[in-house]
Amino acid sequence: MSTVVDTLADLTPLVGKSLGASSWVEIDQHRIDTFADATGDQQWIHTDPARAKDGPFGTTIAHGYLTLSLLIPLWSELLDVREVRTKVNYGLGKVRFPAPVPVGSKVRVTATLVALEPVDGGMQLTIDAVIERDGGGKPVCVAQPIFRFLI
């Protein structure tokens, strides 16, 4: 865990500061295929390694939304507020996929707490999150998740 605090009030000094980086997660073909099965997105660029060899990336790539979905487990490594009863996804601001995630890549998230806003029963957190690929020159996903931490 990169950052651990006791209360929501302890988050105030963290606004504008990096919360660190998660561990790396490998994106293998099984994960891509499982996501394709769950979502019904069976586009060949994701699920057909033989055909993808001749495609624009020379291999299969992860779905953009698979990459985005990893935000939650990776994010959960970065911040723990001990006295919070529950955490919910409230939504997303801007989301972009600047670069592909070729099969076999490792990804991780870095995040900065950019805003806190009181809400009924807790606090709304706005995060600037960047999912990067090990050895990649550009981020693979840039997103602004919004969470509600409730006490």
Side-chain angles (χ1 to χ4, degrees):
M1 186 61 57
S2 294
T3 303
V4 179
V5 297
D6 290 320
T7 69
L8 290 172
D10 295 332
L11 293 174
T12 301
L14 299 177
V15 173
K17 300 206 179 343
S18 172
L19 299 174
S22 71
S23 60
W24 294 99
V25 172
E26 185 174 350
I27 309 302
D28 60 18
Q29 191 62 50
H30 176 73
R31 185 185 295 262
I32 293 170
D33 291 343
T34 301
F35 188 85
D37 289 342
T39 63
D41 183 351
Q42 297 289 336
Q43 185 182 36
W44 64 268
I45 196 114
H46 306 301
T47 61
D48 188 341
R51 186 172 176 195
K53 281 183 189 178
D54 296 324
F57 305 107
T59 189
T60 55
I61 60 170
H63 305 72
Y65 285 111
L66 167 56
T67 305
L68 181 63
S69 75
L70 293 172
L71 184 61
I72 296 303
L74 296 174
W75 155 255
S76 69
E77 296 180 18
L78 300 185
L79 179 65
D80 184 28
V81 182
R82 290 186 180 126
E83 295 180 16
V84 167
R85 183 174 42 95
T86 192
K87 302 169 188 171
V88 295
N89 300 318
Y90 187 70
L92 293 163
K94 182 178 176 180
V95 178
R96 298 291 184 267
F97 303 105
V101 179
V103 67
S105 296
K106 292 182 181 178
V107 298
R108 72 176 180 183
V109 70
T110 58
T112 300
L113 176 61
V114 294
L116 288 174
E117 180 182 338
V119 295
D120 286 343
M123 190 74 68
Q124 181 168 292
L125 291 72
T126 302
I127 308 298
D128 279 347
V130 176
I131 301 177
E132 62 184 334
R133 180 174 64 89
D134 190 19
K138 288 183 178 181
V140 296
C141 180
V142 179
Q144 192 170 65
I146 302 166
F147 301 108
R148 288 199 170 174
F149 283 24
L150 306 172
I151 52 176

